[in-house]
Amino acid sequence: MATRLKPVDVVIVGMGWTGGILAKELSDAGLTVLGLERGVNRTTEPDFSVPMIRDELRYAVRHELYMDVSRDTLTFRNAARETALPMRRLGSFLPGEGVGGAGLHWNGQTYRFSPSDHSLRTRVKERYGAAFAPEGMQLADWPMTYDELEPYYDKFEYMAGISGQAGNIRGETIEGGNPFEGPRSRGYPNPPLKASLSGVMYEAAARELGYHPFPRPAANMSRAYVNPDGMSLGECQYCGHCENFGCEANAKASPHITVIPAAQKNANFSLRTQAWVTRVDLHPDGKRAKGVTYTDVRTGEEFEQPADIVALCAYGLGNVHLMLLSGIGAPYDPDTETGVVGKGYCYQLTSTVQTFFEDRNFNPFMGAGSLGVVVDDVNGDNFDHGPHGFIGGASIINATTHGRPIAYRPLPPGTPKWGSEWKAASRHWYGRSTSIGTQGSNMASRGNYLSLDPTYRNAFGQPLLRLTYDFTENDFKQSAFTTKIAHDIGRAMGPTHISPLAPKSSSYSIVPYQSTHNTGGAITGHDPKTSAVNRYLQSWDVSNLFVVGASAFPQNAGYNPTGAVGALAYWTADAIRTRYLSAPGPLVPA
């Protein structure tokens, strides 16, 4: 029998970026706030101290900071006619676990979604006509505009100390920045990171072809920085250990050194780790949450945690899983396109062009998680899609993120896969290669969704989350178009060798790593018949439940999602403080 605990005003499930932001903002407002994290506590000292944190085998190969798939995983299939099987080893994406969540191991690539990303359905209809979207594509507008979210994007960037070059301040185009970005109220808090040799070459080639390159916005500090909450961050050392690792210099903005310690300054905030939430508890009418039930994974004891407000701030897939396990909202049915929970799952389209230069040494071991140069000319709706017959686009990036010896082995086409020639080629080309990557958007599709698996269960006996997903013809057209442009820029750099064109052209595989940018499943919208949460990320069905994170995205953009996730978290926290507390109940009429 579960032990009933003392009630709190707010219980937060998951202590990554979104949980940390809500914890800080709501405890500042005087509410008693409890954060529950199913993983362990993590701190820079001792967890990320050198030389331990530079262990590529431990962190990048064996995935120490990630979800333990022996306790909980998901099942996968490409289509509903197939039987889903459990993912027994992390591959395509890497959900974090522990205090800080995926914000511990991320690279720090931090974008704002564009105004057209926030109003995509309307934009496509007005520019190309209603018939331009293919059958089965579920385009939707966000129920909040870019202009409404701009102050919250700004707040996240200054909290995280983003390094970058603005391209549009209050409608004025700024040289050197992204000319396609939405208007911002001010520039970035820190200047861009130092340019790498490959970045300089990529920028010159892109400009020669008529594109508009700009330095990639980075949560890697270009200089020492103290954020508005008084949290200190160090200057980036360009050590090449960002993705998969915590930062020993506190130079990569992460929840455990920013919003979470800021919340912990408040006596009315508390944190419990290794507390695995198994369900949201509802009142008999199902319209309000009573709190949550969780298990202490160290002892196996079960607890009921009453709360006036429940905030789901787990990784996006985890938010959807908890809603389905708790019976919150109608599960999505792809046959009838009814129901909302699990609807709108999206991923991203990625591809790589590898270039090789006999006369260059790029010193790849000197990198940073978001050190790079970006071309945005064919991202979002920054170009005319009419002649190309697809919706979406991609950011195209030359990155200098790492040259770690296990994972970084660029080799020209035709190199043997093993043996003495392979070893010699690995030595020769290690410092003479640089890549260009595409990161493409992904539109919601009728047959791509999340549900509960009928067969497989987790360590607590609960049904696993089931992912049904595959690429579409729209995805293949988009990938072919954007990968060709990446290849053109690569050839303009003048390499000795270049890899062949390799856009996405076959079914999605969950095995190789691609991107940890899973979105959707609890999408935000104007209508409870087509969305799971309203414009404040409040459940349409359970008025004191807020579901915060990339699970709210109606479709995925050609960017990393963290900037938009952070903006939404601040937006929701503000709505709770200024709207919900004065009049608890639905914030938007159903």
Side-chain angles (χ1 to χ4, degrees):
M1 183 174 179
T3 301
R4 183 178 174 86
L5 302 173
K6 181 181 178 181
V8 295
D9 295 326
V10 184
V11 63
I12 299 173
V13 181
M15 288 305 295
W17 273 124
T18 56
I21 289 170
L22 261 67
K24 196 272 178 184
E25 295 297 298
L26 298 182
S27 62
D28 278 357
L31 300 174
T32 56
V33 180
L34 171 65
L36 298 177
E37 167 56 49
R38 74 182 193 177
V40 300
N41 192 28
R42 300 193 195 276
T43 56
T44 303
E45 175 61 41
D47 295 286
F48 307 141
S49 59
V50 290
M52 180 189 74
I53 196 57
R54 302 286 180 87
D55 188 338
E56 184 183 4
L57 182 64
R58 178 177 179 180
Y59 292 100
V61 177
R62 293 177 176 163
H63 297 157
E64 181 151 322
L65 299 180
Y66 301 133
M67 181 175 76
D68 182 354
V69 294
S70 70
R71 297 194 301 183
D72 193 29
T73 185
L74 53 86
T75 65
F76 167 71
R77 59 187 181 177
N78 286 122
R81 64 181 180 274
E82 300 172 352
T83 299
L85 296 174
M87 181 177 68
R88 296 299 190 190
R89 179 180 297 174
L90 292 173
S92 181
F93 44 85
L94 303 170
E97 191 168 285
V99 172
L104 288 179
H105 68 75
W106 72 316
N107 261 324
Q109 299 156 14
T110 311
Y111 298 88
R112 298 181 177 198
F113 284 12
S114 71
S116 64
D117 289 326
H118 287 284
S119 56
L120 189 59
R121 184 175 184 274
T122 296
R123 177 85 170 183
V124 168
K125 184 177 180 181
E126 290 176 350
R127 190 171 181 183
Y128 308 107
F132 192 72
E135 176 71 20
M137 184 178 286
Q138 299 172 327
L139 286 181
D141 292 340
W142 292 46
M144 66 291 282
T145 65
Y146 170 86
D147 289 339
E148 287 180 299
L149 282 179
E150 196 282 331
Y152 304 96
Y153 277 117
D154 178 86
K155 188 168 184 176
F156 181 78
E157 288 169 354
Y158 272 75
M159 178 276 296
I162 304 303
S163 305
Q165 171 60 57
N168 182 341
I169 298 180
R170 295 184 293 276
E172 179 184 351
T173 301
I174 308 299
E175 183 67 27
N178 180 7
F180 301 101
E181 71 176 355
R184 54 175 64 244
S185 54
R186 53 180 172 171
Y188 287 100
N190 286 311
L193 294 168
K194 298 173 183 177
S196 66
L197 172 59
S198 65
V200 171
M201 293 170 59
Y202 175 76
E203 179 179 356
R207 289 197 187 281
E208 181 182 340
L209 294 178
Y211 300 116
H212 302 82
F214 60 95
R216 181 157 57 180
N220 320 117
M221 301 303 107
S222 60
R223 60 187 178 188
Y225 178 72
V226 179
N227 78 6
D229 299 322
M231 301 294 115
S232 296
L233 292 94
E235 184 176 350
C236 181
Q237 302 176 38
Y238 300 88
C239 72
H241 286 71
C242 285
E243 185 178 36
N244 301 301
F245 304 86
C247 180
E248 79 273 7
N250 282 355
K252 179 177 70 174
S254 298
H256 78 295
I257 58 170
T258 54
V259 287
I260 293 174
Q264 289 173 318
K265 290 182 178 181
N266 296 323
N268 49 321
F269 171 71
S270 56
L271 170 64
R272 291 182 200 149
T273 59
Q274 300 185 71
W276 192 301
V277 176
T278 53
R279 68 175 179 270
V280 178
D281 299 317
L282 304 178
H283 286 283
D285 63 3
K287 295 182 179 180
R288 284 184 60 81
K290 296 189 293 184
V292 300
T293 294
Y294 74 88
T295 298
D296 185 326
V297 298
R298 295 163 296 191
T299 65
E301 295 175 278
E302 191 174 53
F303 298 91
E304 291 180 10
Q305 179 57 66
D308 294 329
I309 297 172
V310 176
L312 300 187
C313 295
Y315 188 72
L317 297 172
N319 285 345
V320 180
H321 195 199
L322 268 174
M323 292 180 75
L324 291 169
L325 290 173
S326 306
I328 297 169
Y332 172 69
D333 183 341
D335 293 329
T336 61
E337 292 193 84
T338 58
V340 292
V341 180
K343 175 185 176 183
Y345 172 83
C346 293
Y347 194 46
Q348 282 189 320
L349 280 293
T350 60
S351 63
T352 302
V353 175
Q354 199 76 37
T355 59
F356 302 86
F357 299 80
E358 281 284 7
D359 58 348
R360 293 287 189 273
N361 182 1
F362 295 110
N363 292 322
F365 53 85
M366 294 189 294
S370 193
L371 177 58
V373 178
V374 185
V375 164
D376 229 17
D377 296 66
V378 292
N379 198 4
D381 204 33
N382 298 339
F383 64 105
D384 183 4
H385 290 69
H388 307 295
F390 67 85
I391 294 170
S395 53
I396 301 176
I397 313 107
N398 172 257
T400 307
T401 58
H402 79 92
R404 298 187 298 269
I406 296 175
Y408 189 77
R409 292 185 177 272
L411 295 169
T415 303
K417 302 295 185 183
W418 62 283
S420 59
E421 288 185 57
W422 173 82
K423 292 178 182 178
S426 294
R427 289 192 297 270
H428 180 77
W429 293 110
Y430 172 79
R432 295 179 170 92
S433 179
T434 186
S435 65
I436 301 166
T438 68
Q439 181 167 237
S441 58
N442 189 215
M443 304 299 115
S445 181
R446 178 177 184 168
N448 293 336
Y449 64 103
L450 299 166
S451 58
L452 292 179
D453 192 275
T455 304
Y456 297 98
R457 296 179 177 269
N458 66 14
F460 297 94
Q462 298 176 300
L464 293 180
L465 187 68
R466 179 175 61 184
L467 168 61
T468 305
Y469 179 76
D470 206 353
F471 298 134
T472 66
E473 188 62 29
N474 186 84
D475 296 327
F476 296 142
K477 290 179 180 179
Q478 172 190 291
S479 186
F481 176 75
T482 57
T483 304
K484 173 64 165 55
I485 291 172
H487 202 266
D488 290 345
I489 300 174
R491 284 191 290 112
M493 292 171 69
T496 307
H497 304 287
I498 188 169
S499 61
L501 278 169
K504 296 294 186 196
S505 58
S506 58
S507 285
Y508 167 73
S509 169
I510 205 168
V511 176
Y513 182 75
Q514 293 156 74
S515 156
T516 305
H517 304 160
N518 314 81
T519 69
I523 64 174
T524 179
H526 297 281
D527 186 345
K529 293 180 181 178
T530 56
S531 58
V533 296
N534 65 25
R535 73 191 305 259
Y536 300 110
L537 308 196
Q538 179 187 39
S539 167
W540 288 109
D541 299 280
V542 180
S543 63
N544 62 336
L545 176 71
F546 294 82
V547 186
V548 190
S551 53
F553 294 6
Q555 53 262 326
N556 206 357
Y559 294 121
N560 301 69
T562 309
V565 166
L568 285 176
Y570 278 117
W571 162 268
T572 298
D574 189 52
I576 293 172
R577 284 198 332 261
T578 63
R579 296 172 181 270
Y580 182 85
L581 293 179
S582 60
L587 296 178
V588 178

